[in-house]
Amino acid sequence: MSTKRNNPETIAIHGGDYKSDPATNAVAVPIYRTTSYQFNNTEHAANLFALKEFGNIYTRIMNPTNDVLEKRVAALEGGLSCVTVSSGQTASSFAILNVAQAGDNIVSSTDLYGGTVSLFTHTLSKLGIEIRYADPSDPKNFEKMVDDKTRAFYGETLPNPYLRVFPIKEVSDIGRKYNIPLIMDNTASPVICKPIEHGAAIVIHSLTKYIGGHGTAVAGSIVDSGNFDWTADPKRQPLFNEPDASYGGVIWGKAVPELTGANVPFAVRARVCLLRDLGSALAPDNAFAIIQGLETVALRMKQHCENAEKVVNFLKKHKEVTKVIYSTEHNKPIADRAKKYLRGGYGPMVGIELKGGIEAGKTFIESLKMFYHVANIGDVRSLAIHPASTTHSQLNEKELAASGVTQSYVRLCIGIEHVDDIIEDLNQALNKSSKGKLRAVS
Ligand code: PLP
């Protein structure tokens, strides 16, 4: 019998050091709805602020409910420390703002969630942080864009709509030659991929999606692997090697390992500087909802992936479908990356292009009876959307082409309903989709 406590099914329920609430022995994680925490005395208060002692100060920066979630997400990803934040968007913003300042650049994959593209191209550029885009089909594209102001590489494990698995180890290895950390967004592939095992330094999630799983709360997380040497090249990572005037001149790269015994300056700086200054704290009520979802994430991912594979086989044979996009349905070497990086399933998302183009796509979505037509991904329910007119509608033609969204592309997030019911719904909607084409022509 396996007693390995690092199985994801077990971590999701028991990960971190929470057994029961220390104050009440409650087994379910209590929602600590408090903004503040009583200091024992003035020395205790001063020590907490000076980071000489670790403990609760104020819920914008930490909270005991969030703490349980943070420890579990860190354990699930095989990292050392985690900071939860108010959304996945905050997680990606903080991950960049924690390493880069005006004049610096980040080299990012072109295969990104549309909201991340907007954040990078519009908001971060206005703050003076340049995002350079590299096509991940060839990892060497990342190296070509490095200069002495490059502070991090950024990628998504299983980005939609292309659903091409990111070459994590290949890009991480390039980064480590230059002391550049790889930040991975693992939102679409918790449990089935652990980017840290392949060299990622930082892993972020929109917990809103598969980890929460039920579409009930918006949340994000940033995991620090503890595997990156932030002090190896002080010029490369100034934010971790120069005195921080906002915190009494502390040098984060040196001080955090000394104070905590763990190499997690990225997580500590994100918490005590970015949450302190920018807010975006996760409400403990939402942390509770995400903790409940997290408990079943391993089970759900298995079912999502199993159903998705059956759906792919069905769609490949359907007369109205011209193309099926799935992590394993690519040419080599891209398809091999799915086998190399994903374990226990090839992902829950499937893309299709329809014979009848955009009009057929719209009729198809409107004809679905069980699927929900929503912007979200990662719900127990099956979901469908037409990205070109919704999630990716703020991208220009060039950005759309780079992100792989065609006008007729429909994204499906396969839920955990019985697969026969999923296929039946798809089949009846696909059979109606050609009528949309005829209607458009007439
Ligand atoms: N990253 C990915 C891959 C996403 O799909 C999303 C949202 O769809 C986000 C980040 C942003 O997450 P949130 O909606 O929680 O802000």
Side-chain angles (χ1 to χ4, degrees), residues 237-259:
Q237 299 298 344
L239 291 175
F240 292 90
N241 289 283
E242 289 171 6
D244 183 344
S246 84
Y247 228 107
V250 70
I251 295 176
W252 293 111
K254 288 194 183 136
V256 173
E258 280 167 20
L259 288 166

Side-chain angles (χ1 to χ4, degrees), residues 87-89 113 116 156 160 185 187 206 208-209 218-219 377:
S87 68
Q89 280 300 98
Y113 161 60
T116 309
E156 260 182 55
N160 76 86
D185 180 339
T187 295
S206 164
T208 319
K209 316 297 181 199
V218 173
I377 63 168

Side-chain angles (χ1 to χ4, degrees), residues 268-396:
V268 172
R269 189 179 183 281
R271 185 185 299 287
V272 302
C273 294
L274 296 180
L275 277 176
R276 176 197 64 187
D277 296 349
L278 300 176
S280 309
L282 177 62
D285 303 64
N286 281 348
F288 176 84
I290 302 288
I291 289 168
Q292 270 200 329
L294 175 62
E295 290 183 349
T296 56
V297 68
L299 210 58
R300 284 184 286 106
M301 286 308 287
K302 238 179 251 169
Q303 197 60 46
H304 280 294
C305 294
E306 199 181 302
N307 285 355
E309 274 190 65
K310 289 182 180 158
V311 165
V312 166
N313 290 333
F314 159 77
L315 292 169
K316 275 162 64 178
K317 291 183 220 128
H318 201 286
K319 64 178 182 3
E320 298 298 337
V321 177
T322 51
K323 189 170 177 192
V324 177
I325 298 106
Y326 193 54
S327 64
T328 51
E329 297 289 317
H330 296 280
N331 295 331
K332 281 174 178 284
I334 312 288
D336 293 341
R337 288 182 192 151
K339 307 238 156 87
K340 177 170 176 184
Y341 290 111
L342 304 183
R343 288 276 172 276
Y346 294 116
M349 270 188 279
V350 182
I352 48 173
E353 288 182 13
L354 301 182
K355 208 194 269 176
I358 185 165
E359 288 305 322
K362 285 185 195 164
T363 309
F364 166 70
I365 287 194
E366 284 171 12
S367 305
L368 286 164
K369 291 183 177 150
M370 189 178 78
F371 274 67
Y372 281 80
H373 179 199
V374 297
N376 197 19
I377 63 168
D379 198 310
V380 287
R381 298 154 191 82
S382 288
L383 317 172
I385 198 159
H386 177 240
S389 60
T390 55
T391 51
H392 288 62
S393 60
Q394 278 138 35
L395 305 190
N396 62 34

Side-chain angles (χ1 to χ4, degrees), residues 36-202:
S36 329
Y37 307 86
Q38 168 76 2
F39 302 124
N40 300 336
N41 48 49
T42 49
E43 189 190 357
H44 177 225
N47 283 346
L48 291 177
F49 276 89
L51 302 180
K52 286 187 186 151
E53 225 179 290
F54 286 89
N56 296 317
I57 299 174
Y58 187 59
T59 281
R60 177 160 21 92
I61 303 169
M62 71 282 280
N63 174 280
T65 310
N66 299 14
D67 182 59
V68 175
L69 175 60
E70 286 164 351
K71 291 194 167 115
R72 283 197 189 154
V73 173
L76 190 72
E77 285 294 353
L80 287 189
S81 184
C82 172
V83 181
T84 50
V85 289
S86 59
S87 68
Q89 280 300 98
T90 303
S92 35
S93 313
F94 276 23
I96 304 299
L97 294 174
N98 211 25
V99 280
Q101 48 196 332
D104 293 343
N105 68 71
I106 303 292
V107 181
S108 168
S109 170
T110 44
D111 290 8
L112 291 177
Y113 161 60
T116 309
V117 178
S118 312
L119 166 72
F120 284 3
T121 305
H122 302 294
T123 299
L124 291 183
S125 67
K126 289 192 182 80
L127 299 179
I129 299 170
E130 182 196 355
I131 310 289
R132 301 175 172 184
Y133 290 104
D135 180 345
S137 50
D138 183 357
K140 290 199 198 83
N141 291 332
F142 279 74
E143 189 157 22
K144 288 179 197 154
M145 295 197 179
V146 169
D147 67 13
D148 60 0
K149 292 284 191 180
T150 304
R151 302 289 175 245
F153 288 163
Y154 190 97
E156 260 182 55
T157 311
L158 183 58
N160 76 86
Y162 272 129
L163 300 175
R164 308 193 283 196
V165 172
F166 187 81
I168 306 173
K169 179 165 186 335
E170 294 85 337
V171 174
S172 162
D173 284 350
I174 294 170
R176 283 179 192 261
K177 281 201 296 189
Y178 299 91
N179 291 301
I180 294 172
L182 172 62
I183 302 167
M184 287 302 303
D185 180 339
N186 200 32
T187 295
S189 42
V191 182
I192 59 172
C193 182
K194 288 171 82 171
I196 290 171
E197 286 180 353
H198 306 290
I202 306 299

